[in-house]
């Protein structure tokens, strides 16, 4: 059953038309992911559906009586309620029902001498009890506690005034409040912002069992893979839908784009051929040839011209290094750090070697960014030692972009650090990150978070350091840009240590996972999925390698990298297979359209050829699915 249907929805801000032709349907129980580059209008569309903004055209139809819940990126809370009261307020009707039940019990106890009154009261009590049970009357308090724990609120925070929470904590609280209302349709705009990995995993599980439908905007591709069963891409103001999760969408999108580009190129060749023939006919300058030219011109004018497939720009760059490091890159022993009597972490030990690709994860507030600042000497540890190896050049990416100068222009911010380059070279580097023309003259203070991130990445690329410390590098980047960043890191010949909550990103680059806890670091070989499997199977950490010989270390590294390479090859093969399936299914759909056209059957030979091609394509798809299943079994 269709819950929500959009048809030709449009929205402009002044002369800027953000939404041109938005059309899609959302079925009951469906979980749709809405994707597109930053600024394409995803949040605007969510607000229009939620009724917070009006569209300029088109229609939005909702199922009658649809209960809708909307989570914005910034949530609102009451000034006078505590964290616990804010969530418990959702169940005010249930509390009122409980009071009514107690009153009915009291009335029935006093009506023992009046059978008719007792019967009526008993009937009311029975009906109200059923409603109370359906409304989770006996279990709502434990449900509230489960949501608070799942979203990372400690017991000591529950009596804190909600208005005193940080922006991220308020958003988490609003998410919890909305989930407890259990609407028929959840509109979630970046719900994983401000959540740590444990809370994100909890939310994934919650939505997996959620009975209602979900429309989701998120930059967390792993989250979308886990939650979504359908994707909608907002591209240049129009929408296109895809079956499956994010990974399936990426493969099918590439296949569709290739098919459209090929069809457009073939049509352009045919147009050019026809125009050349027309030109030749006109050169003969005879009555018969002129008529032939005019006839072809008329057919050419009636031809339905395909538009060139468009794709919104993504950044493109690569990291390189000036020199190689020694085998030992960084040795950390018994490091500790705290503030105002509170210890963030202690007994931290790390031995980072050349070529390591390490993801650093841990709960919010455990001190991951502080650890990085200790490593680059911006902060002094309370105790412990940090030793750098030979030839180490550290490049640091700060998620808050604190090293950028707000008063400078984009061009000056980069050029002042790389005076050996001329302006053309600096502009060329900035162009890789989509800063073109007068964009480079914008002050840093006017840039968005994503634009500041791109400036910082430009500087990092030009530095050519051999060790990269990246603090949440995918924050503020759209999905296409994240894919490009992951490709650049895959080709980087140096060493990487990155803080990230982006599990998809961790899977793409990491060969080790370091978990920072208050009492030190636990090490796990492999990427995020390997780490997650180990903790779910309650396997111990792989441990540090301090006591191993150099030969054993190299052997272990080679083994780990070989396993990672084999796993990557399998995943790449799966992606290629999924893209091939998507392409073949697109070609099958084209053949189905041809078979549905009555004109096809006016030529018996052509009809037979199409039918034969259709069967061959079906056989090809069956074979591809068989091969895909064999690869999937190897995972």
């Amino acid at each position: 059953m269709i819950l929500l249907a959009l048809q030709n929805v449009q929205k402009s801000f002044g002369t800027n038309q953000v939404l041109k032709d938005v059309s899609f349907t959302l079925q009951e129980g469906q979980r749709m992911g809405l994707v597109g580059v930053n600024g394409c209008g995803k949040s605007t569309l969510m607000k229009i559906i939620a009724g917070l903004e009006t569209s300029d055209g088109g229609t939005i139809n909702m199922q009658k009586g649809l209960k809708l819940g909307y989570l914005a990126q910034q949530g609102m809370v009451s000034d006078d309620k505590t964290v616990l009261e804010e969530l418990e307020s959702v169940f005010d009707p249930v509390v009122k029902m409980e009071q009514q039940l107690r009153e009915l019990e009291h009335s029935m106890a006093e009506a023992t001498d009046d059978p008719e009154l007792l019967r009526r009261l008993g009937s009311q009590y029975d009906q109200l009890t059923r409603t109370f049970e359906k409304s989770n009357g006996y279990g709502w308090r434990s449900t509230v506690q489960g949501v608070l724990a799942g979203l990372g609120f400690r017991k000591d925070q529950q009596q804190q005034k909600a208005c005193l929470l940080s922006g991220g904590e308020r958003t988490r609280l609003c998410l919890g409040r909305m989930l407890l209302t259990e609407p028929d349709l959840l509109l979630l705009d970046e719900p994983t912002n401000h959540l740590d990995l444990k809370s994100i995993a909890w939310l994934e599980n919650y939505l997996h069992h959620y009975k209602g439908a979900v429309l989701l905007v998120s930059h967390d591709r792993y989250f979308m893979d886990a939650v979504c069963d359908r994707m909608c891409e907002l591209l240049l103001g129009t929408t296109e839908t895809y079956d499956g999760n994010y990974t399936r969408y990426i493969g099918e999108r590439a296949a569709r784009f290739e098919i459209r580009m090929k069809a457009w190129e073939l049509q352009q060749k045919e147009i050019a051929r026809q125009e050349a023939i027309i030109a030749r006919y006109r050169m003969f300058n005879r009555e018969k040839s002129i008529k032939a030219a005019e006839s072809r011109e008329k057919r050419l004018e009636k031809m339905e011209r395909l538009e060139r497939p468009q794709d919104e720009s993504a950044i493109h760059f690569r990291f390189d290094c000036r020199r190689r490091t020694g085998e030992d890159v960084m040795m950390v022993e018994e490091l500790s750090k705290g503030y105002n009597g509170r210890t963030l972490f202690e007994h931290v030990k790390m031995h980072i070697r050349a070529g390591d690709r390490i993801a650093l994860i841990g709960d919010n507030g455990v001190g991951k960014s502080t650890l990085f600042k200790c490593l680059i000497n911006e902060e002094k540890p309370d105790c412990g030692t940090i030793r750098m190896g030979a030839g180490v050049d550290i490049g640091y990416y700060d998620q808050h972009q604190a090293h950028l100068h707000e008063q400078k222009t984009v061009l000056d911010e980069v050029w002042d650090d790389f005076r050996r380059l001329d302006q053309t070279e600096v502009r060329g580097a900035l162009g890789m990150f989509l800063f073109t023309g007068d964009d480079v003259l914008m002050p840093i203070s006017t840039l968005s978070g994503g634009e500041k991130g791109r400036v910082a990445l430009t500087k990092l690329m030009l530095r050519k350091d051999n060790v990269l410390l990246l603090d949440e590098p995918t924050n503020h980047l759209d999905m296409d840009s994240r894919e490009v960043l992951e490709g650049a890191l895959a080709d980087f010949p140096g060493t990487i240590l990155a803080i990230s909550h982006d599990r998809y990103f961790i899977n793409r680059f990491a060969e080790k996972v370091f978990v920072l806890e208050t009492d030190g670091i636990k090490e796990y070989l492999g990427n995020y999925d390997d780490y997650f499997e180990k903790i779910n199977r309650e396997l111990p950490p792989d441990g540090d390698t301090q006591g191993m010989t150099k030969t054993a270390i190299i052997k272990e590294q080679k083994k780990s990298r070989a396993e990672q390479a084999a796993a990557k090859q399998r995943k790449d093969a799966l992606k290629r297979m999924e893209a091939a399936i998507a392409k073949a299914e697109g070609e099958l759909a084209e053949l189905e359209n041809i078979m549905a056209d009555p004109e096809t059957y006016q030529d018996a030979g052509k009809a037979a050829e199409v039918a034969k091609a259709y069967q061959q394509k079906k056989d090809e798809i069956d074979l591809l699915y068989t091969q895909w299943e064999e690869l999937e079994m190897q995972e």
Side-chain angles (χ1 to χ4, degrees):
M1 184 183 294
I2 296 175
L3 293 183
L4 175 70
L6 279 71
Q7 189 69 33
N8 306 121
V9 173
Q10 302 160 18
K11 181 67 177 180
S12 298
F13 294 97
T15 58
N16 180 27
Q17 189 173 18
V18 179
L19 307 177
K20 298 177 184 177
D21 179 14
V22 174
S23 303
F24 66 82
T25 59
L26 186 64
Q27 301 278 348
E28 192 174 305
Q30 225 169 35
R31 284 131 171 79
M32 179 182 284
L34 183 61
V35 295
V37 299
N38 290 344
C40 70
K42 300 186 295 294
S43 293
T44 299
L45 179 58
M46 295 284 270
K47 289 175 183 176
I48 290 172
I49 296 171
L52 301 177
E53 288 201 16
T54 56
S55 63
D56 298 334
T59 59
I60 300 176
N61 295 310
M62 297 184 187
Q63 188 184 78
K64 188 175 180 180
L66 182 74
K67 187 179 176 183
L68 189 147
Y70 171 62
L71 177 76
Q73 294 185 39
Q74 296 295 329
M76 301 297 293
V77 295
S78 305
D79 290 334
D80 57 342
K81 290 180 180 176
T82 66
V83 169
L84 181 60
E85 289 169 346
E86 191 72 42
L87 294 195
E88 287 185 338
S89 65
V90 171
F91 294 95
D92 284 347
V94 180
V95 173
K96 190 174 180 181
M97 272 191 277
E98 191 171 13
Q99 291 172 349
Q100 290 173 336
L101 285 171
R102 300 294 83 80
E103 289 170 4
L104 281 171
E105 288 168 358
H106 182 71
S107 298
M108 285 190 294
E110 292 182 344
T112 52
D113 297 334
D114 188 342
E116 180 60 25
L117 176 60
L118 187 61
R119 185 189 62 78
R120 289 201 307 271
L121 291 172
S123 177
Q124 290 177 30
Y125 185 83
D126 184 54
Q127 188 175 357
L128 189 59
T129 298
R130 285 197 294 270
T131 306
F132 182 72
E133 289 173 349
K134 285 180 182 177
S135 304
N136 194 22
Y138 296 113
W140 68 267
R141 288 180 177 83
S142 61
T143 301
V144 168
Q145 289 299 322
V147 169
L148 284 168
L151 293 175
F153 287 101
R154 304 183 307 274
K155 282 283 186 183
D156 61 321
Q157 287 182 293
Q158 294 186 15
Q159 300 306 320
Q160 181 182 340
K161 289 290 185 183
C163 61
L164 300 178
L165 296 175
S166 67
E169 289 170 333
R170 287 189 187 195
T171 303
R172 280 192 280 143
L173 187 62
C174 291
L175 172 60
R177 185 178 61 197
M178 189 187 64
L179 293 176
L180 289 171
T181 62
E182 296 189 341
D184 302 314
L185 171 58
L186 282 172
L187 302 178
L188 303 178
D189 193 352
E190 297 291 355
T192 60
N193 281 3
H194 315 294
L195 296 183
D196 58 23
L197 290 175
K198 289 179 182 176
S199 298
I200 293 172
W202 175 87
L203 181 59
E204 279 173 7
N205 184 60
Y206 188 98
L207 293 177
H208 184 70
H209 295 93
Y210 189 71
K211 294 178 182 177
V214 178
L215 182 60
L216 166 69
V217 173
S218 179
H219 283 94
D220 189 332
R221 296 158 294 170
Y222 195 101
F223 183 74
M224 282 197 160
D225 263 354
V227 172
C228 298
D229 54 24
R230 190 165 173 78
M231 301 296 295
C232 178
E233 181 181 33
L234 187 53
L235 176 67
L236 301 169
T238 63
T239 50
E240 187 160 358
T241 56
Y242 299 79
D243 288 328
N245 60 11
Y246 176 82
T247 299
R248 178 77 182 272
Y249 143 75
I250 285 293
E252 192 174 340
R253 181 183 69 164
R256 287 190 193 182
F257 185 83
E258 186 181 331
I259 290 168
R260 287 172 181 164
M261 183 59 76
K262 187 175 181 180
W264 179 82
E265 288 171 348
L266 288 172
Q267 189 183 66
Q268 291 300 303
K269 286 180 181 177
E270 177 61 19
I271 290 170
R273 189 178 74 85
Q274 291 294 337
E275 287 174 342
I277 293 170
I278 291 167
R280 283 201 304 273
Y281 280 162
R282 289 197 175 279
M283 283 175 62
F284 295 147
N285 200 25
R286 297 173 185 166
E287 184 179 353
K288 186 176 180 181
S289 64
I290 288 172
K291 284 184 178 179
E294 289 173 347
S295 175
R296 283 182 179 268
E297 281 177 339
K298 286 179 182 177
R299 287 206 301 271
L300 203 57
E301 286 171 4
K302 291 179 181 179
M303 179 187 289
E304 187 177 345
R305 301 289 179 104
L306 299 175
E307 291 187 12
R308 182 188 178 99
Q310 291 181 288
D311 200 1
E312 291 179 322
S313 299
I315 59 178
H316 54 96
F317 66 100
R318 66 188 301 270
F319 291 115
D320 206 348
C321 24
R322 298 187 302 275
R323 58 177 179 169
R324 293 176 60 86
T325 64
E327 177 61 28
D328 294 322
V329 169
M330 190 184 301
M331 290 73 71
V332 176
E333 288 287 344
E334 293 296 328
L335 207 69
S336 67
K337 180 66 179 176
Y339 294 103
N340 302 321
R342 176 179 170 243
T343 299
L344 288 177
F345 54 78
E346 58 186 352
H347 307 305
V348 169
K349 294 198 297 182
M350 290 193 298
H351 190 169
I352 299 174
R353 298 176 177 83
D356 274 349
R357 293 166 180 272
I358 302 167
L360 180 65
I361 66 174
D363 294 341
N364 289 344
V366 76
K368 299 184 294 295
S369 296
T370 302
L371 175 59
F372 265 28
K373 288 176 180 176
C374 291
L375 298 179
I376 62 172
N377 207 29
E378 274 194 11
E379 295 268 3
K380 294 292 183 185
D382 296 337
C383 66
T385 60
I386 302 170
R387 290 186 295 122
M388 297 296 171
V392 169
D393 302 314
I394 291 182
Y396 172 56
Y397 178 92
D398 176 15
Q399 64 167 314
H400 302 297
Q401 317 309 339
H403 297 88
L404 300 182
H405 301 85
E406 295 284 308
Q407 72 280 7
K408 289 185 179 181
T409 64
V410 171
L411 180 63
D412 289 339
E413 176 65 37
V414 178
W415 203 3
D416 286 352
D417 283 5
F418 300 95
R419 278 295 172 186
R420 68 182 186 280
L421 304 179
D422 61 35
Q423 186 177 138
T424 303
E425 289 174 310
V426 175
R427 280 180 170 270
L430 286 166
M432 294 183 185
F433 292 85
L434 308 185
F435 290 106
T436 57
D438 291 341
D439 292 346
V440 301
L441 303 178
M442 294 189 299
I444 295 294
S445 59
T446 65
L447 301 183
S448 67
E451 288 167 335
K452 287 181 179 178
R454 286 191 270 128
V455 173
L457 284 172
T458 306
K459 295 173 72 173
L460 195 63
M461 177 192 73
L462 291 172
R463 284 176 57 91
K464 297 186 178 181
D465 294 313
N466 50 31
V467 178
L468 299 181
L469 300 187
L470 309 175
D471 190 354
E472 297 289 0
T474 59
N475 276 8
H476 308 298
L477 294 182
D478 59 52
M479 290 183 174
D480 287 342
S481 299
R482 292 181 185 203
E483 296 275 346
V484 176
L485 173 62
E486 288 156 2
L489 292 178
D491 296 332
F492 177 59
T495 305
I496 304 169
L497 177 61
I499 298 170
S500 184
H501 285 98
D502 186 339
R503 295 160 296 170
Y504 200 97
F505 170 71
I506 294 172
N507 272 347
R508 288 285 299 273
F509 94 91
E511 294 175 357
K512 293 180 183 177
V513 174
F514 283 8
V515 183
L516 180 61
E517 298 176 347
T518 306
D519 59 350
I521 280 181
K522 292 179 180 176
E523 299 183 17
Y524 296 84
L525 292 175
N527 59 15
Y528 180 82
D529 282 345
D530 298 321
Y531 153 75
F532 192 70
E533 182 184 357
K534 285 175 183 177
I535 61 171
N536 276 323
R537 290 167 57 194
E538 298 184 348
L539 295 176
D542 295 300
D544 64 53
T545 54
Q546 299 291 332
M548 296 171 66
T549 65
K550 188 171 182 179
T551 305
I553 290 168
I554 294 171
K555 190 174 180 180
E556 184 66 28
Q557 282 182 322
K558 284 182 178 178
K559 179 183 175 184
S560 175
R561 287 175 187 166
E563 289 173 352
Q564 290 297 313
K568 188 176 185 300
Q569 285 177 354
R570 286 195 298 272
K571 287 179 181 177
D572 289 345
L574 272 171
K575 285 183 180 179
R576 288 195 299 272
M577 191 64 67
E578 287 167 355
I581 289 171
K583 182 179 179 182
E585 287 178 340
E587 292 168 351
L588 186 71
E590 287 185 357
L591 289 168
E592 287 174 346
N593 290 335
I594 295 170
M595 292 174 71
D597 187 351
E599 291 185 9
T600 302
Y601 301 96
Q602 292 178 8
D603 184 339
K606 181 183 177 183
E609 285 178 9
V610 172
K612 183 180 178 182
Y614 179 77
Q615 188 57 49
Q616 287 175 342
K617 189 59 63 176
K618 282 189 72 176
D619 293 342
E620 179 188 338
I621 290 171
D622 289 341
L623 178 61
L624 286 170
Y625 268 111
T626 301
Q627 293 171 343
W628 179 84
E629 286 171 1
E630 289 173 356
L631 281 170
E632 186 74 15
M633 291 294 288
Q634 296 173 22
E635 282 290 294

